[in-house]
Amino acid sequence: NTSGTFVSGWDFTEDINTYFRVAQGWKSGGFNGEAPTAATFHEGYEPEEVVAYELGMKSRFLDDALQVNLAAFYNDISDMQVSIFLEGSGGAASNVKNAGEATAQGFEAELVYQVVESLRLSANYGYLDTEYDKFEEGGVDVKDLKDVPYAPENMVWIAGDWTIGTWSWGNLDLHVDWSYNDDYVPYIEPSQNATAQIDSYDVLNASLIL
């Protein structure tokens, strides 16, 4: 496989840069080691390919105290590789196959603010919209009957870092972060996801380091 990348950037000012990027990517084809028959093994599966478009901005304000990064992306996926769960008398297994085409698009935002020398605040937000454009199964397009796995719509992360004290023998630092992840499904088949959907959740972390 030969893949190319094109990037174009423009500096509006010394502190604001915009860019446009087009990149090709690929995931190798292969063979299913858990294939139920020799014939199925030899069929294998084709490489997955993607053309990714990204438009973004990187900037700094307030004498470099505030950093703002924005990016919107659009990924056009062809020969998408999906893992199909198999059930049979020989036990559970899964096969990889090329389902068809899919689109993944969304945007990301990142902010970092150095309030004072001892305090920094950070925040990230990501939005993802993924759908099948074509999903062939037995020669029939069943894209409306399949779920896209591991594709939460919204993700948020907020953090704070505070240097409580600084002495000749060391620092006392406090870090706190909170993250939120939207619900998502782990399988392609809605019947499996009926009892396996991962509900939305949030996580709070904190550490005090001397």
Side-chain angles (χ1 to χ4, degrees):
N1 183 279
T2 301
S3 301
T5 301
F6 170 81
V7 182
S8 177
W10 179 266
D11 292 326
F12 281 96
T13 68
E14 291 183 355
D15 299 318
I16 301 176
N17 167 266
T18 59
Y19 64 91
F20 175 68
R21 179 175 181 264
V22 181
Q24 295 174 310
W26 65 287
K27 184 189 297 182
S28 175
F31 299 90
N32 286 297
E34 297 180 344
T37 66
T40 304
F41 170 80
H42 286 291
E43 287 176 4
Y45 51 92
E46 298 298 318
E48 175 184 310
E49 297 184 343
V50 60
V51 180
Y53 304 87
E54 182 177 347
L55 178 65
M57 178 190 77
K58 295 182 181 296
S59 58
R60 291 181 180 273
F61 305 98
L62 304 177
D63 293 328
D64 293 342
L66 176 64
Q67 179 178 332
V68 180
N69 298 328
L70 304 172
F73 60 89
Y74 181 92
N75 295 341
D76 186 9
I77 305 168
S78 58
D79 288 325
M80 185 177 183
Q81 296 174 4
V82 295
S83 181
I84 306 297
F85 182 73
L86 305 175
E87 293 181 89
S89 58
S94 62
N95 270 354
V96 176
K97 62 175 290 186
N98 298 101
E101 302 172 358
T103 299
Q105 58 187 331
F107 64 89
E108 299 174 349
E110 177 187 23
L111 287 84
V112 180
Y113 182 32
Q114 192 75 38
V115 184
V116 292
E117 185 177 353
S118 60
L119 178 62
R120 183 174 70 248
L121 303 177
S122 308
N124 284 9
Y125 172 72
Y127 171 78
L128 177 65
D129 177 26
T130 306
E131 62 180 17
Y132 296 113
D133 300 315
K134 182 174 68 174
F135 194 124
E136 290 190 353
E137 194 170 73
V140 179
D141 190 351
V142 294
K143 65 180 182 180
D144 296 329
L145 304 176
K146 302 295 183 180
D147 291 335
V148 180
Y150 298 102
E153 189 174 50
N154 296 284
M155 291 171 287
V156 183
W157 181 78
I158 299 174
D161 292 277
W162 178 30
T163 300
I164 300 174
T166 300
W167 302 275
S168 59
W169 44 267
N171 298 337
L172 181 62
D173 297 321
L174 173 67
H175 172 84
V176 179
D177 68 69
W178 170 82
S179 62
Y180 169 83
N181 205 86
D182 247 350
D183 57 86
Y184 63 91
V185 295
Y187 301 113
I188 294 170
E189 298 297 335
S191 59
Q192 293 175 294
N193 292 323
T195 56
Q197 175 173 309
I198 310 300
D199 291 333
S200 61
Y201 61 90
D202 53 356
V203 177
L204 179 66
N205 296 308
S207 61
L208 188 62
I209 303 171
L210 179 63

